[in-house]
Amino acid sequence: MDNRTLDTDILMEESLEKIIEWLEEKKYFQARDELLKYNAVDIAELLEEICEESDIDKTIILFRLLRKDISVEVFAELSSDTQIDIINAITDKELDYIVSELDFDDKIDVLEELPANVVNKILENTPKNERKLINTFLNYPDTCAGSLMTPDYISLDKEWNVKRALDHIKSEGMDAETVYTCYVRDNGRKLLGIVSLSTLVISDEDVKIKDIMVTDYVFENVYDDQEDVSEDFKKYGFLAIPVVDNEHRLVGIITVDDILDVMEEEATEDIERMNGVIDWENSDKGYLDMSVWQHALNRLPWLLILMVAYIFTGMIITKFEGKLSQIICLVAYMPMLMGTGGNTGSQAATLIIRGLATNEVDTSDIIKVLWKELRIGLIVGSVLSVVNFGRVCLLDGNSPEIALTVCVAMLLIVVFAKILGSMVPLVVKMFKLDPALIANPAISSVSDMVALSIYFAMASLFLNL
Amino acid sequence: MDNRTLDTDILMEESLEKIIEWLEEKKYFQARDELLKYNAVDIAELLEEICEESDIDKTIILFRLLRKDISVEVFAELSSDTQIDIINAITDKELDYIVSELDFDDKIDVLEELPANVVNKILENTPKNERKLINTFLNYPDTCAGSLMTPDYISLDKEWNVKRALDHIKSEGMDAETVYTCYVRDNGRKLLGIVSLSTLVISDEDVKIKDIMVTDYVFENVYDDQEDVSEDFKKYGFLAIPVVDNEHRLVGIITVDDILDVMEEEATEDIERMNGVIDWENSDKGYLDMSVWQHALNRLPWLLILMVAYIFTGMIITKFEGKLSQIICLVAYMPMLMGTGGNTGSQAATLIIRGLATNEVDTSDIIKVLWKELRIGLIVGSVLSVVNFGRVCLLDGNSPEIALTVCVAMLLIVVFAKILGSMVPLVVKMFKLDPALIANPAISSVSDMVALSIYFAMASLFLNL
């Protein structure tokens, strides 16, 4: 267990109770002093919980009592709902202060979540140059490199020496996360090279920047997909990557701390899609913040597509109905055969979809995968068949012919489902579609139909129906 | 698309073809020069592909032709299989060089993957002090903070001034990723505070370290779970976090670049578990590197558990068999009702399991979740029921009584499955088990049985069976 986190959790729980009590008794300053024992991230977490357990008005009073410099940091960490509540409650002067003091990338994040009228109100009071820059940033699509970057970076001249560069950094005095790599541009803002702060610190004072800058750096284009950006961070292990436009002009940098959120988002999206949930709004709203209608809308499409598939499944059964009513006990094994086919297919699909996402599997591996899944299917199918032969004969007391029908069908269904489950994601990927989105509905619908067809075919064969 | 990545991909593809051709013609030096156009990460990727498309002996020759300093960096990036092949082929002297030059955390990663006899061979030639340290690190459990950390950090004295600290950093000259935060310890190695390199750079030369060090820093215990560690990185956005033992002595630091891999591993584990694949070996082997037997072993448990559940499903059907044979057309709707129940339940379970993993949902939210899923279930169930009423009556030409049976059953099944799917993960979590591991088998087995029971109950009610 994480001892410290555990301790902090318990401490915060105690503080929360005290604060809520004091708020009830209107002892606001005492409550504020308790809050100030924590860092900005934790204060924001506490405020969210106070808002939930007490009320938003008291939370806002508490927020306004914070020291100005801390209030900005806390504001950046709050959820967008709470941010909007605060913006609506504070004076324009307070709002201007917060907006002007926010780091640029936090500012963009805040503005993206706010309603248009609030954004306009804020932009009116922003200097023209910054307003233009904000508008540019707000216009980048939500999932591209441009939406992740910050224009706060240190830029150096290639003719400077190390001492001058360090003095320049000192005078700029930036956020820790953006200062560790410095960028060298020519007069047309084209990126020439990068120098890390550690290189500057360990180099002699009179060395020229152009002699220590790295020129075969990795960079992103503003319109690159955030998934590709996070791939590069994972592959190379950098703390920051520069972002350029189509003319190779430096427009911003992306720092690794923002990539952690991207990776979590991308994993969530994949997991949801693989299990039949489509996030239409591409929102970063949590489960509890989404309305029931939005939830229903995200879940219905896949279920409706499967409805269509079930029409065909129904038709297959209807065609076999006459024979089925002669040996009605065959019905009892239908759920098992269809269910096992579905599950075993989705196991294979999961591994391949994940392998594609983490670049461990590639579409060119299709033959290797096929051969592997064929053998896995034979092993898994044989084990399940043997277990079932016992069950059908001994436990259910049915005839060996029926047991044979069930077991041979089981083996064939498992082998088929493993192959189907592994091949569909690869084929979908070849068509440049997202395997997580398409694969599962396709596999579920086909595997049910084929499972039934195989079962009835075996029944006809072994039971002379 | 990622233009640069695309370009690099194409370039590397061309280089790969050229290199393989040259290797065939034994033009090794030409092949090596082509390789050297790339950085270490890309060279390692190329070597892996050469190994796959050509053979391992040629790859080893090529590796040995690399400049010594580059070969170490490349070695650290290779897969453990290729590393073992290389270790077996090179001389002891070459091996000693590589091992001594590897960064400490890379060294540990390499040693963890190697067979015991090779590890012993390497340790024999390591200085005693380092051997002790390596053994300590090798003994940390695979998924705890201790296994992620590196002992390579800059430690400063609190009485030093900034100038002396910067001179000290200069003389140590470390890797970029470990130099950006410096650590202040007392004589007993207890951690007192941290100072970021950016603070050092922007502070005046004669300021004392004790006056600028941060003392309310976040830290981990060596035995903290890697999942908790990555939570802290995500929450606070740090580039490095110090790791201490139970006496609060600093034993190492974890840098953010290693957390990216942890996040990917944790997401993969969750995704696999949610879809019924259990990684017994907790291995970081890719899909293609695992044997078919290992794959079968990872997939069978869940399928076998479900087999037991299907015995009960079969019993429910057998009990109803007599009535079922009277109205055989009811069989045709069984797959749809069971399948929809399973899918709709797994949608809810997915969202809750993911919400728990990302801390958006907590076990204390159980009532809120229940109320939400009840309403979502009613909406989704109603839509599906209406669609099905049309299908059963118009498309299949069955009686309105049968349509009523199917539709009321559908509504009840969907509502039940949504509640089951959302509640099971929360209850599993309350018992401190992993919801991703337990939830889906539990939901699948219960939802099938309940779906059939509801269907047959409705049939008895509406069709007077």
Side-chain angles (χ1 to χ4, degrees):
Chain A
M1 265 312 293
D2 186 334
N3 294 316
R4 188 196 47 71
T5 309
L6 206 69
D7 294 349
T8 317
D9 281 352
I10 294 170
L11 280 178
M12 282 175 70
E13 202 59 51
E14 286 169 4
S15 295
L16 181 64
E17 276 173 39
K18 275 192 255 173
I19 292 172
I20 288 175
E21 221 179 281
W22 285 326
L23 288 182
E24 294 299 318
E25 301 163 12
K26 304 204 169 152
K27 292 179 180 164
Y28 289 108
F29 285 92
Q30 226 164 328
R32 182 207 45 191
D33 292 343
E34 183 69 26
L35 264 193
L36 288 177
K37 290 181 184 167
Y38 296 92
N39 62 36
V41 177
D42 292 331
I43 293 177
E45 202 176 309
L46 282 168
L47 283 178
E48 295 284 357
E49 285 177 42
I50 293 166
C51 179
E52 210 172 290
E53 301 198 15
S54 174
D55 65 72
I56 180 72
D57 294 332
K58 293 213 170 83
T59 313
I60 291 172
I61 296 177
L62 204 50
F63 175 81
R64 294 174 78 173
L65 286 178
L66 293 174
R67 260 197 353 255
K68 273 174 119 184
D69 55 332
I70 290 186
S71 71
V72 174
E73 282 182 66
V74 171
F75 185 83
E77 300 287 339
L78 290 169
S79 73
S80 54
D81 285 348
T82 314
Q83 285 174 344
I84 293 176
D85 287 333
I86 289 176
I87 289 174
N88 288 331
I90 61 181
T91 65
D92 282 10
K93 211 179 133 202
E94 284 172 312
L95 180 60
D96 282 352
Y97 177 78
I98 290 179
V99 171
S100 66
E101 290 297 310
L102 279 173
D103 284 345
F104 192 88
D105 53 344
D106 287 333
K107 199 180 300 189
I108 296 297
D109 287 345
V110 169
L111 291 175
E112 271 174 348
E113 296 296 328
L114 296 178
N117 58 333
V118 184
V119 173
N120 290 336
K121 188 171 141 191
I122 293 173
L123 287 182
E124 269 169 30
N125 300 319
T126 311
K128 200 182 158 199
N129 272 346
E130 192 176 335
R131 196 160 65 218
K132 212 175 137 192
L133 195 59
I134 290 176
N135 273 319
T136 313
F137 271 67
L138 283 176
N139 281 327
Y140 289 119
D142 205 26
T143 56
C144 78
S147 76
L148 293 172
M149 69 187 182
T150 168
D152 294 333
Y153 54 83
I154 303 268
S155 99
L156 304 176
D157 192 295
K158 71 178 160 56
E159 299 299 337
W160 289 356
N161 64 20
V162 167
K163 181 165 181 358
R164 178 148 183 211
L166 284 172
D167 286 342
H168 176 72
I169 293 171
K170 212 163 182 164
S171 69
E172 297 267 315
M174 290 219 182
D175 260 11
E177 72 210 49
T178 53
V179 85
Y180 290 123
T181 318
C182 306
Y183 301 87
V184 186
R185 305 181 308 187
D186 69 6
N187 294 332
R189 292 188 51 199
K190 279 205 172 57
L191 182 59
L192 298 175
I194 64 176
V195 191
S196 70
L197 182 60
S198 61
T199 307
L200 288 175
V201 168
I202 63 170
S203 297
D204 289 326
E205 288 200 334
D206 47 3
V207 172
K208 285 266 173 85
I209 295 298
K210 64 179 171 192
D211 296 325
I212 50 171
M213 72 182 185
V214 176
T215 50
D216 65 336
Y217 51 84
V218 170
F219 60 91
E220 311 289 338
N221 183 286
V222 266
Y223 290 108
D224 283 346
D225 190 86
Q226 62 176 8
E227 211 166 335
D228 297 327
V229 177
S230 83
E231 279 305 316
D232 282 340
F233 271 96
K234 246 181 326 192
K235 183 170 172 190
Y236 298 104
F238 294 136
L239 300 179
I241 296 185
V243 182
V244 300
D245 63 13
N246 292 331
E247 276 78 45
H248 207 78
R249 287 179 304 217
L250 182 62
V251 286
I253 64 169
I254 298 177
T255 54
V256 66
D257 54 315
D258 294 318
I259 291 301
L260 296 179
D261 298 328
V262 170
M263 286 185 62
E264 189 168 276
E265 261 175 55
E266 295 288 336
T268 300
E269 190 185 83
D270 270 11
I271 290 175
E272 290 181 359
R273 287 181 171 186
M274 284 166 76
N275 290 284
V277 180
I278 302 165
D279 187 3
W280 295 103
E281 292 206 320
N282 220 331
S283 77
D284 45 10
K285 274 191 190 167
Y287 170 89
L288 291 171
D289 296 330
M290 275 168 57
S291 74
V292 288
W293 292 103
Q294 191 58 47
H295 271 294
L297 210 63
N298 289 352
R299 301 183 196 183
L300 269 169
W302 200 54
L303 297 173
L304 285 170
I305 292 170
L306 286 182
M307 283 294 131
V308 179
Y310 286 125
I311 294 178
F312 294 100
T313 317
M315 281 161 64
I316 295 171
I317 296 179
T318 307
K319 227 180 128 189
F320 203 74
E321 244 168 39
K323 295 173 181 173
L324 214 48
S325 59
Q326 288 169 40
I327 310 185
I328 190 78
C329 72
L330 287 177
V331 175
Y333 302 109
M334 274 171 43
M336 178 182 74
L337 292 169
M338 294 173 69
T340 305
N343 289 323
T344 197
S346 93
Q347 287 179 332
T350 300
L351 290 166
I352 300 300
I353 292 172
R354 188 63 190 163
L356 285 168
T358 58
N359 292 325
E360 277 162 14
V361 178
D362 189 80
T363 47
S364 64
D365 296 319
I366 192 158
I367 301 298
K368 277 189 224 166
V369 172
L370 182 67
W371 173 228
K372 202 159 206 125
E373 289 296 325
L374 177 67
R375 288 175 296 161
I376 298 169
L378 285 170
I379 297 170
V380 171
S382 303
V383 173
L384 296 180
S385 292
V386 170
V387 171
N388 266 292
F389 198 89
R391 176 204 156 180
V392 179
C393 286
L394 304 178
L395 201 68
D396 299 347
N398 279 318
S399 71
E401 287 80 15
I402 289 180
L404 197 67
T405 304
V406 173
C407 295
V408 175
M410 176 66 94
L411 178 62
L412 294 177
I413 289 168
V414 169
V415 171
F416 171 80
K418 286 282 179 221
I419 292 173
L420 180 79
S422 56
M423 291 299 109
V424 170
L426 290 170
V427 173
V428 169
K429 180 81 183 182
M430 282 177 190
F431 286 98
K432 309 264 176 226
L433 296 167
D434 179 3
L437 190 60
I438 316 282
N440 272 337
I443 293 165
S444 303
S445 33
V446 177
S447 115
D448 274 357
M449 286 180 248
V450 174
L452 279 179
S453 305
I454 290 177
Y455 184 38
F456 294 154
M458 292 306 111
S460 307
L461 190 69
F462 292 115
L463 303 172
N464 298 316
L465 285 174
Chain B
M1 268 311 294
D2 185 336
N3 293 318
R4 189 197 45 73
T5 309
L6 204 70
D7 292 350
T8 316
D9 282 352
I10 295 169
L11 279 178
M12 283 175 67
E13 203 59 50
E14 288 170 3
S15 295
L16 182 63
E17 275 174 39
K18 275 193 256 174
I19 292 172
I20 288 175
E21 220 178 282
W22 286 326
L23 288 182
E24 294 299 318
E25 301 163 12
K26 304 209 167 143
K27 291 179 181 163
Y28 289 108
F29 285 91
Q30 227 164 327
R32 181 207 44 193
D33 293 341
E34 183 69 27
L35 263 193
L36 288 177
K37 289 181 186 167
Y38 297 91
N39 61 37
V41 177
D42 292 332
I43 292 177
E45 200 176 311
L46 282 168
L47 282 178
E48 295 285 354
E49 284 176 44
I50 292 165
C51 178
E52 209 171 291
E53 301 198 15
S54 175
D55 66 71
I56 179 72
D57 295 332
K58 293 212 170 84
T59 313
I60 291 170
I61 297 177
L62 203 51
F63 174 81
R64 293 175 78 173
L65 286 177
L66 292 174
R67 259 198 353 254
K68 271 174 119 185
D69 55 334
I70 290 185
S71 72
V72 174
E73 281 182 66
V74 171
F75 186 82
E77 302 286 339
L78 290 169
S79 72
S80 53
D81 285 349
T82 314
Q83 285 175 343
I84 293 176
D85 287 334
I86 288 177
I87 288 174
N88 288 331
I90 62 181
T91 66
D92 283 9
K93 211 180 133 202
E94 283 171 312
L95 180 59
D96 283 351
Y97 177 79
I98 289 178
V99 171
S100 66
E101 290 296 311
L102 278 173
D103 285 345
F104 193 88
D105 54 344
D106 287 332
K107 198 179 300 186
I108 297 296
D109 287 345
V110 169
L111 291 176
E112 271 174 347
E113 296 297 327
L114 295 178
N117 59 332
V118 184
V119 173
N120 290 335
K121 187 172 143 191
I122 292 172
L123 286 182
E124 269 169 30
N125 300 320
T126 312
K128 200 182 157 198
N129 272 345
E130 191 176 336
R131 195 160 66 217
K132 214 175 135 192
L133 194 59
I134 290 176
N135 272 319
T136 313
F137 270 67
L138 282 176
N139 281 326
Y140 290 119
D142 205 25
T143 56
C144 77
S147 76
L148 293 172
M149 68 187 181
T150 167
D152 294 333
Y153 54 84
I154 303 268
S155 95
L156 303 176
D157 191 297
K158 71 178 161 55
E159 299 298 337
W160 289 357
N161 62 20
V162 167
K163 181 166 180 357
R164 178 145 182 214
L166 285 172
D167 286 343
H168 176 72
I169 293 170
K170 213 161 180 166
S171 69
E172 298 266 315
M174 290 220 182
D175 261 11
E177 71 210 50
T178 53
V179 86
Y180 290 123
T181 319
C182 306
Y183 301 86
V184 187
R185 305 181 310 186
D186 69 6
N187 294 332
R189 291 187 53 200
K190 279 203 172 58
L191 183 60
L192 297 174
I194 64 175
V195 191
S196 71
L197 181 60
S198 61
T199 307
L200 289 175
V201 168
I202 63 170
S203 298
D204 289 328
E205 288 200 333
D206 46 4
V207 172
K208 284 265 173 84
I209 295 299
K210 65 178 171 192
D211 297 325
I212 50 170
M213 72 183 185
V214 176
T215 50
D216 64 336
Y217 50 84
V218 170
F219 61 91
E220 310 289 338
N221 182 285
V222 265
Y223 290 107
D224 284 346
D225 191 84
Q226 62 177 10
E227 212 168 334
D228 297 327
V229 177
S230 84
E231 279 304 317
D232 282 340
F233 271 97
K234 246 182 323 192
K235 184 171 172 189
Y236 298 105
F238 295 136
L239 299 179
I241 295 185
V243 182
V244 299
D245 63 12
N246 292 332
E247 277 77 46
H248 207 79
R249 287 179 304 218
L250 182 63
V251 286
I253 64 168
I254 299 176
T255 53
V256 66
D257 53 314
D258 294 318
I259 292 301
L260 297 180
D261 298 327
V262 171
M263 285 184 64
E264 189 168 277
E265 261 176 54
E266 295 287 336
T268 300
E269 191 185 81
D270 269 12
I271 290 174
E272 290 181 0
R273 288 181 170 187
M274 284 166 77
N275 290 283
V277 180
I278 302 167
D279 187 2
W280 295 103
E281 292 206 322
N282 220 332
S283 76
D284 44 10
K285 274 192 190 166
Y287 170 90
L288 291 170
D289 296 330
M290 274 167 58
S291 74
V292 288
W293 292 102
Q294 192 57 49
H295 271 295
L297 210 62
N298 289 352
R299 300 181 197 184
L300 268 169
W302 200 54
L303 298 172
L304 286 170
I305 292 171
L306 287 181
M307 282 295 132
V308 179
Y310 286 124
I311 294 179
F312 295 99
T313 317
M315 280 161 63
I316 295 172
I317 296 179
T318 307
K319 226 180 129 189
F320 204 75
E321 242 168 42
K323 294 172 181 174
L324 214 49
S325 60
Q326 287 170 41
I327 310 186
I328 191 78
C329 72
L330 287 177
V331 175
Y333 302 108
M334 275 171 40
M336 177 182 75
L337 292 170
M338 294 174 68
T340 305
N343 288 323
T344 196
S346 94
Q347 288 179 330
T350 300
L351 290 167
I352 300 298
I353 293 172
R354 187 64 188 160
L356 285 168
T358 57
N359 292 326
E360 276 163 14
V361 179
D362 189 80
T363 46
S364 63
D365 296 319
I366 192 159
I367 300 298
K368 277 188 223 166
V369 171
L370 182 67
W371 173 229
K372 202 158 205 125
E373 287 298 324
L374 177 67
R375 288 175 295 162
I376 298 169
L378 285 170
I379 297 170
V380 171
S382 304
V383 173
L384 296 179
S385 292
V386 169
V387 171
N388 266 293
F389 198 90
R391 175 203 156 181
V392 179
C393 286
L394 304 177
L395 201 68
D396 300 345
N398 279 319
S399 70
E401 286 80 15
I402 290 180
L404 197 66
T405 303
V406 172
C407 294
V408 174
M410 175 67 94
L411 178 63
L412 294 176
I413 290 169
V414 169
V415 171
F416 171 81
K418 285 283 180 219
I419 291 173
L420 181 79
S422 56
M423 292 298 108
V424 170
L426 290 170
V427 173
V428 169
K429 179 82 183 181
M430 282 177 190
F431 285 99
K432 310 265 176 225
L433 297 166
D434 179 2
L437 190 59
I438 316 282
N440 272 337
I443 294 164
S444 303
S445 33
V446 176
S447 113
D448 274 357
M449 286 181 249
V450 174
L452 280 179
S453 306
I454 290 177
Y455 184 39
F456 294 154
M458 292 306 110
S460 308
L461 189 69
F462 292 115
L463 304 172
N464 299 316
L465 285 175

